[in-house]
Amino acid sequence: MPRSQQGLIRLLRRQGVDERVVQAFAEVARVDFVPQDAGPIAYADRPVSIPEGQTTSQPSLIARMVEAAAPTPSGRVLEVGTGFGFQTALLARLAGEVFSIERFEVLAEAARRNLDRAGIENARVIVGDGWKGIPQHQPFDAIVVSAAAEEVPRALEEQLAEGGRMVIPVKGPLSDDVLVFVKQGGRVTKHSLLTPARFVPLVREGKP
């Protein structure tokens, strides 16, 4: 189990993760994006609990989801579920602009502080309902969702740019299936199953 940033990077390379994504992991210290008492396990390949009953996913899963979203240096990315901002920072290293929406104000504030300390200037964190996305900043070339939905939110389909990719966990009978969708000819269709996993639910506004 990795105990350092370099150990985590070696793990990702062994798993065949794209080198651009690996380099982003080399430039973003995960220890700066977890609660202080979680510092000793910051580089372990495991989820880490954060406030409000949420989690930040294990690094190898984040790497695969970011890789599948295929952000480009000039592209605009929507992230749903900011958490403490670790994936946000990675996306910001790989894309031109990142807009991240977070349900909980306390997490959004923590993420903003973490991103500011890390010198990330091309990511904006907004408090709101992830099911609705951020229509005022559409279209997005890539969308990465960090919570499991019962179905793909229509608003996110609409906000995805032509040719764009969306990576989203969708609830299944036994697990949450991390699916990759693409938009072609104005239609969003399933491209592939990335992996089964477990995520916190993507809660609609007005629901507990």
Side-chain angles (χ1 to χ4, degrees), residues 46-70:
R46 54 172 286 186
V48 172
S49 296
I50 57 177
E52 302 293 346
Q54 305 299 294
T55 61
T56 176
S57 297
Q58 66 194 73
S60 61
L61 178 56
I62 292 174
R64 293 184 68 186
M65 291 178 68
V66 169
E67 180 181 49

Side-chain angles (χ1 to χ4, degrees), residues 115-136:
L115 292 164
D116 185 60
R117 282 197 299 267
I120 302 295
E121 298 180 346
N122 61 329
R124 181 175 173 186
V125 178
I126 296 169
V127 176
D129 181 357
W131 280 85
K132 297 178 180 178
I134 310 177
Q136 63 269 35

Side-chain angles (χ1 to χ4, degrees), residues 11 27 50 58 73 75 82 85 90 98 119 121 159 168 173 178 183:
L11 172 67
E27 295 172 356
I50 57 177
Q58 66 194 73
T82 317
L90 295 170
V98 178
E121 298 180 346
Q159 292 168 38
I168 179 171
V178 183
K183 191 168 191 175

Side-chain angles (χ1 to χ4, degrees), residues 95-182:
E97 290 182 285
V98 178
F99 293 87
S100 187
I101 187 164
E102 171 55 53
R103 179 181 173 218
F104 297 103
E105 178 69 46
V106 66
L107 296 182
E109 284 297 328
R112 291 182 189 119
R113 290 193 300 270
N114 293 339
L115 292 164
D116 185 60
R117 282 197 299 267
I120 302 295
E121 298 180 346
N122 61 329
R124 181 175 173 186
V125 178
I126 296 169
V127 176
D129 181 357
W131 280 85
K132 297 178 180 178
I134 310 177
Q136 63 269 35
H137 294 295
Q138 66 174 309
F140 299 101
D141 303 293
I143 297 176
V144 182
V145 182
S146 299
E150 295 94 351
E151 60 188 10
V152 179
R154 180 64 180 167
L156 300 187
E157 292 186 349
E158 293 172 350
Q159 292 168 38
L160 187 64
E162 180 68 19
R165 296 167 71 87
M166 183 192 315
V167 182
I168 179 171
V170 177
K171 289 183 177 296
L174 299 177
S175 67
D176 302 325
D177 292 333
V178 183
L179 302 175
V180 182
F181 292 84
V182 297

Side-chain angles (χ1 to χ4, degrees), residues 182-201:
V182 297
K183 191 168 191 175
Q184 295 177 326
R187 296 182 63 246
V188 175
T189 57
K190 185 169 73 172
H191 176 271
S192 59
L193 166 66
L194 189 62
T195 182
R198 286 290 182 189
F199 285 83
V200 297

